[in-house]
Amino acid sequence: MKQSLTLLIISLFFSGCEQNKVTANPGEKMMVVTNFIKYDKKQEFEDIVLNEVMPSYYSYRDSVDEIHSLNQKAKNNMRIQKPVEMNQDSTWMFTMIADPFIDGANYSIVPPLRQKYGDDKAKEIYGRWNACFSKQGQTVFLVEEVDLKGK
């Protein structure tokens, strides 16, 4: 667990590089999601996220225009990190960062899966996705950007 949190902190620290530029301003919220994945499910989880979950998330159209607009902003500020080494407890930790967190936007995978694939296929995908998680499961943190300039 300590190694996982250290990796998360390092990931957030290096998120300032040009490719993963931090966009939250000091005082704004970010959402950090940690996903602890079973040792033998890393590739399956990655495939589900990249080939089924995220395509449905990006194509999702909320019926309420105001929420759809918030979702569009959230989509442009989403980052996912995959692990490069296994944790000491033989799990893999994937992280997702919403930077900044858009209050009112949809961050759930269920409505996009249902819209893109229908109820039965969405349940099947969600079941495979859920079966990848270790006992630690998923943790969601809302954090606030801190101004370090001039410190």
Side-chain angles (χ1 to χ4, degrees), residues 71-135:
N71 291 343
Q72 293 302 110
K73 290 178 186 177
K75 290 174 193 178
N76 293 329
N77 298 316
M78 183 79 63
R79 298 194 311 267
I80 295 176
Q81 293 79 32
K82 65 181 184 176
V84 295
E85 63 181 34
M86 189 180 285
N87 297 326
Q88 289 179 340
D89 65 354
S90 298
T91 62
W92 300 96
M93 186 180 73
F94 286 76
T95 59
M96 185 278 293
I97 300 175
D99 173 22
F101 173 75
I102 307 296
D103 195 30
N106 173 59
Y107 289 101
S108 170
I109 69 169
V110 175
L113 286 174
R114 282 182 157 163
Q115 188 176 82
K116 184 168 181 74
Y117 301 108
D119 286 341
D120 291 341
K121 179 74 173 170
K123 286 178 188 176
E124 184 266 325
I125 293 169
Y126 186 81
R128 286 188 288 114
W129 177 81
N130 200 41
C132 293
F133 285 89
S134 71
K135 291 178 187 174

